[in-house]
Amino acid sequence: MNGSSPGVEDGRDHAREQGSAIAWVESPLQMLCAVEAHHAGLLGAHARVIPRAKLRPLAVTRREIARLGPPDGLELAMPAPEMPRPHRGVSWAVGDAFSGKVQAGWLTALPGRIVIVDDGLATIRLLELLTGRAWTPLLRARATASPLRKALGVAAGLRLRAAARAGRLSVFTALPVPAELAQAVRDRGAELVTHDFAWLRSQPLRGPGPRERTVVLGTSLVRNGLIHRDRYFTWLAGLGSTEPVAYFPHRREDPDDLARVREQPGITVYDGGAPAEMTLRGLAAEQRVLSLPSTAVTSLRVLLSARGVAVETVDVPDEWWTAQAAPSLRSHLSMFAHHDTGVTG
């Protein structure tokens, strides 16, 4: 992954043709990546980013992007309770390709072009499903779906593959897509554009970050029932007993779990709200970031490698996993563990 990805230049060519776009975002990472997609040229000359209403992390992220100053031609719209229906022919950017409302929109709104931006590990799953059998439904991992929901997933998959064959599907990602999978995506006709947060890297830093040498990123694995809660807290307690630790929660962490983290000696919980990519990009070389496998590991390595900050993945011991953590999921997560971004400055 590097700043001279050929896909980005292709994306700039699209900007002269596409006109306008609407981006519907439901997480801080989706919002940040929608801004990056517009900066890279994939969303046309004019784009409206519409965040889902009543989600505090989205409000915080929107405020921070507005403070930095979004790229020319991008409007940060007010939050909305429901996903809008783009006019026919308008490009449509989304992050959650497994949302039933998003999938229904693909079948009824007929967007001119579909742009998928990062939504964590689900982005890789989407690419795997799109390159699989034609009648494979687009459903979340571990989802229990009704026959009607499966039918919608099948129809959405057919529509998305048709858009790829027609040259109307782009996937914009900072994730380490395996070479074989990336080629399969392109063979389907989709445009796969890699990026390195060029817009964010060009923005001025906002004051000093946490002073603690060690920064720990929170995880959703506990709340999702994938790792044992007590094993995780024992590990955190061990860290806090040896040195001061700054803890940045995951947006989906259980409030009761966060209360327990705050009680740990030596650990300070920072209520950032905005993506870690925005909050931690000013760390100094003497600091380090620890994280269980997550997409933030990849993006923070892109942003912090030039500053000499170590971003270290904590491998999950076998005894931490619960019975709900299937081998396929563990394999997926491992791709974010020790991936080399290839960024040197």
Side-chain angles (χ1 to χ4, degrees), residues 105-325:
W106 287 338
L107 301 177
T108 59
L110 298 177
R113 185 175 189 85
I114 297 172
V115 180
I116 306 294
V117 299
D118 276 336
D119 187 34
L121 187 62
T123 304
I124 301 297
R125 175 170 172 81
L126 174 68
L127 298 182
E128 291 175 341
L129 294 178
L130 281 177
T131 56
R133 294 178 297 175
W135 294 89
T136 302
L138 301 186
L139 296 172
R140 304 183 197 279
R142 301 181 293 119
T144 301
S146 66
L148 185 60
R149 185 63 187 86
K150 288 181 181 178
L152 176 60
V154 169
L158 293 173
R159 178 56 59 89
L160 215 55
R161 293 183 190 96
R165 290 193 300 271
R168 295 189 295 105
L169 175 63
S170 297
V171 180
F172 184 73
T173 181
L175 300 179
V177 182
E180 185 176 346
L181 178 58
Q183 187 58 53
V185 171
R186 294 183 172 112
D187 288 345
R188 286 278 186 177
E191 179 188 37
L192 182 62
V193 182
T194 59
H195 73 98
D196 57 6
F197 295 94
W199 174 80
L200 184 58
R201 288 190 296 107
S202 71
Q203 302 306 304
L205 295 174
R206 179 185 182 180
R211 290 192 293 269
E212 292 87 349
R213 184 184 78 92
T214 295
V215 176
V216 174
L217 300 185
T219 181
S220 63
L221 296 177
V222 173
R223 185 169 191 172
N224 291 341
L226 299 174
I227 62 174
H228 291 289
R229 181 172 274 100
D230 288 344
R231 301 294 178 101
Y232 180 66
F233 280 105
T234 298
W235 171 71
L236 282 180
L239 284 176
S241 68
T242 59
E243 63 174 317
V245 171
Y247 189 89
F248 283 78
H250 190 281
R251 65 186 177 87
R252 289 200 297 269
E253 279 190 76
D254 188 290
D256 291 338
D257 286 343
L258 277 181
R260 185 173 171 182
V261 175
R262 289 188 175 93
E263 294 172 355
Q264 300 285 337
I267 298 179
T268 301
V269 176
Y270 287 78
D271 189 14
E277 292 82 0
M278 303 187 78
T279 305
L280 300 178
R281 61 195 180 94
L283 292 180
E286 62 270 16
Q287 294 177 288
R288 64 171 182 164
V289 178
L290 299 182
S291 175
L292 270 61
S294 74
T295 56
V297 169
T298 295
S299 50
L300 285 175
R301 283 175 180 158
V302 170
L303 290 163
L304 296 175
S305 61
R307 301 179 65 84
V309 179
V311 181
E312 305 171 20
T313 302
V314 177
D315 292 317
V316 179
D318 288 341
E319 62 269 18
W320 284 26
W321 295 112
T322 69
Q324 297 183 53

